[in-house]
Amino acid sequence: MKVEVINTGSELLLGKVVNTHAAWLGQQLFALGLRIDRQVTVPDGPEIRAALVEALDRARLVIVTGGLGPTSDDITREIAAELMGRPLEHNQAILDKIHEKFRRRGSVPTFNVSREAQVPRGATVLPNEVGTAPGLVLEENGKIVVLLPGPPRELKPMWTEAFVPWLKRRIQVAPLHQRNWSIVGIGESKVATLIEDEVRALGELEIGYCARPGEVDFRLISTDPGILDAASALVAAKFGDAIATTGGETLEEYVVRVATEKKLKIATAESCTGGLIGHRLTNVPGSSKVFEFGWITYSNIAKTADLDVPAELFVPGGPGAVSEETACAMAEGARLKSWADLAVSVTGVAGPDGGTPEKPVGTAWFGVSSARETRAVKKNLSADRETFKNMAAQTALDLLRRELHTFA
């Protein structure tokens, strides 16, 4: 079954609102055994008509988001009804429900909310338990058009609780199976060179790559789980410890999960990343169980005052802020001051200024400290400032991942 998604709303194309629907709907459809074949974003107005005409020519299922509200730019309902030859009919039950929601909120509905109670003849109404505008499903000549509200807080429950049960009663497709690996420290082209030919020889499957700073996501999709089991064995043998996570789990999610399972505490000491490592860790629900202390010691004075990094490391002729010695002292200081089991530090030259022949822009030192040992690792992360920070945070989290393996 071909599936197309049309996202409507001028605010999406003006950059005022980030369009998150395509990613979320893609995940939801995959779980149903379906794939998005095409996704477009169009402004409010006549472009909706053109996009819907094109989509209906290609796809069996067309999902349209947005444009169901009460204002003059909300015309998705009217356009879909016209194209499918369905006159709009007033639905008093919908209007009564809208009025009741306004009453509970202690407000008075405006006259134009009655537009939301207009239903194309024969359409299935999808109740909106959060907002006011209902969703609508229209079927014609084997085609399915579903109209969903734009706000995610309305769209998501309507999709899950109303549309998916409706769709499951009408279609049956072969389930899709997917495996994902996050591979660190190896470039995208090398990953492909090392694994692709052997994986393709296993049978029919889809191969995909997504390169990010410091990692490559390797993806396999097939209707045959047996092929994916064989492929998983190949990937594990080929990349070993370079496989950071599987199943789409992020590095920070992995670190928090494993540290929680092992009842370990983690601390961070950051200079050039400015708190990005701590930010990523605390984005994970439940991180407070393992992460209690994090320091941003951007200056040499802060490193000495907060982490007891010896001041002599910063005197002329000394190792300096970006050095093995400083990275180790930062990590050890963070561990001892936080009573953590494991601490990671980073100090580097993010650029575009500040580099020297000995320490060019992109140089970074990472420290890892546990009761067993404190050590440092040097990396050259030549990149623009923002990418450098992302790669440095990724490297630090991967060091935590690897170090967690050493704890029973």
Side-chain angles (χ1 to χ4, degrees):
M1 172 187 283
K2 282 191 173 294
V3 180
E4 295 203 16
V5 176
I6 302 171
N7 299 300
T8 74
S10 298
E11 67 277 5
L12 301 175
L13 294 170
L14 291 172
K16 301 295 185 182
V17 176
V18 176
N19 180 10
T20 60
H21 289 332
W24 190 82
L25 288 170
Q27 295 166 2
Q28 298 300 308
L29 286 162
F30 189 89
L32 298 171
L34 300 172
R35 303 282 297 278
I36 296 177
D37 294 280
R38 185 180 299 223
Q39 181 263 338
V40 298
T41 304
V42 297
D44 300 308
E47 287 298 326
I48 298 174
R49 180 191 306 275
L52 192 50
V53 168
E54 292 177 8
L56 284 169
D57 186 54
R58 290 186 296 258
R60 181 184 171 194
L61 171 61
V62 180
I63 301 164
V64 188
T65 69
L68 299 180
T71 56
S72 60
D73 60 346
D74 293 317
I75 58 175
T76 300
R77 178 191 307 104
E78 289 76 6
I79 290 174
E82 179 187 339
L83 287 177
M84 302 188 79
R86 307 287 188 90
L88 290 169
E89 299 175 339
H90 176 74
N91 187 310
Q92 187 61 39
I94 292 175
L95 187 59
D96 290 343
K97 190 172 183 179
I98 293 172
H99 283 182
E100 175 62 19
K101 286 183 177 179
F102 274 93
R103 188 192 64 77
R104 290 200 303 268
R105 297 170 186 168
S107 57
V108 178
T110 57
F111 75 93
N112 54 355
V113 299
S114 61
R115 292 185 61 197
E116 298 178 333
Q118 296 294 303
V119 176
R121 181 178 294 171
T124 299
V125 175
L126 304 176
N128 188 338
E129 302 300 339
V130 179
T132 55
L136 300 165
V137 183
L138 297 92
E139 294 180 90
E140 192 75 35
N141 299 323
K143 305 280 188 175
I144 301 171
V145 176
V146 55
L147 311 181
L148 299 171
R153 69 187 186 92
E154 298 179 32
L155 180 149
K156 291 181 179 181
M158 183 184 293
W159 173 274
T160 303
E161 298 165 16
F163 180 64
V164 168
W166 181 93
L167 186 64
K168 284 182 174 179
R169 291 192 294 268
R170 281 160 174 77
I171 65 167
Q172 288 186 339
V173 295
L176 294 170
H177 303 277
Q178 182 175 197
R179 303 286 171 86
N180 293 277
W181 297 265
S182 173
I183 301 170
V184 297
I186 304 175
E188 181 182 18
S189 61
K190 188 172 182 180
V191 169
T193 300
L194 289 172
I195 196 68
E196 185 161 325
D197 288 345
E198 292 182 58
V199 166
R200 285 197 184 280
L202 294 173
E204 186 174 343
L205 43 70
E206 177 185 322
I207 300 174
Y209 306 87
C210 181
R212 296 188 177 92
E215 68 176 320
V216 174
D217 285 346
F218 179 55
R219 178 185 66 253
L220 297 175
I221 298 174
S222 177
T223 57
D224 185 346
I227 291 177
L228 294 180
D229 288 341
S232 296
L234 277 176
V235 174
K238 190 71 68 174
F239 297 109
D241 199 39
I243 299 172
T245 63
T246 59
E249 188 177 35
T250 65
L251 261 179
E252 52 266 37
E253 288 169 341
Y254 179 92
V255 167
V256 169
R257 177 175 62 80
V258 175
T260 301
E261 291 170 355
K262 296 188 175 186
K263 296 181 171 57
L264 300 174
K265 298 289 187 182
I266 294 170
T268 60
E270 304 183 56
S271 182
C272 56
T273 48
L276 185 55
I277 304 168
H279 168 71
R280 287 179 58 174
L281 287 170
T282 54
N283 270 347
V284 181
S287 56
S288 59
K289 295 177 182 177
V290 301
F291 183 67
E292 296 178 338
F293 290 86
W295 285 266
I296 303 173
T297 54
Y298 208 62
S299 68
N300 293 343
I301 293 173
K303 291 177 177 66
T304 298
D306 291 356
L307 298 173
D308 295 335
V309 177
E312 55 265 28
L313 293 179
F314 309 127
V315 301
V322 182
S323 65
E324 177 180 8
E325 293 85 348
T326 297
C328 285
M330 289 172 64
E332 187 167 3
R335 179 177 64 85
L336 295 175
K337 284 182 171 290
S338 65
W339 305 285
D341 301 285
L342 179 60
V344 67
S345 69
V346 59
T347 177
V349 186
D353 309 331
T356 67
E358 295 78 21
K359 300 174 185 178
V361 170
T363 303
W365 277 96
F366 301 84
V368 180
S369 181
S370 66
R372 183 176 56 260
E373 67 169 345
T374 298
R375 58 188 178 85
V377 177
K378 182 182 179 182
K379 297 285 185 180
N380 294 311
L381 308 175
S382 297
D384 63 89
R385 190 177 182 86
E386 183 176 358
T387 303
F388 170 91
K389 291 174 68 175
N390 286 323
M391 292 181 70
Q394 187 78 357
T395 302
L397 289 167
D398 188 52
L399 287 170
L400 286 175
R401 172 187 74 89
R402 294 171 184 269
E403 200 67 21
L404 284 169
H405 293 171
T406 68
F407 288 82

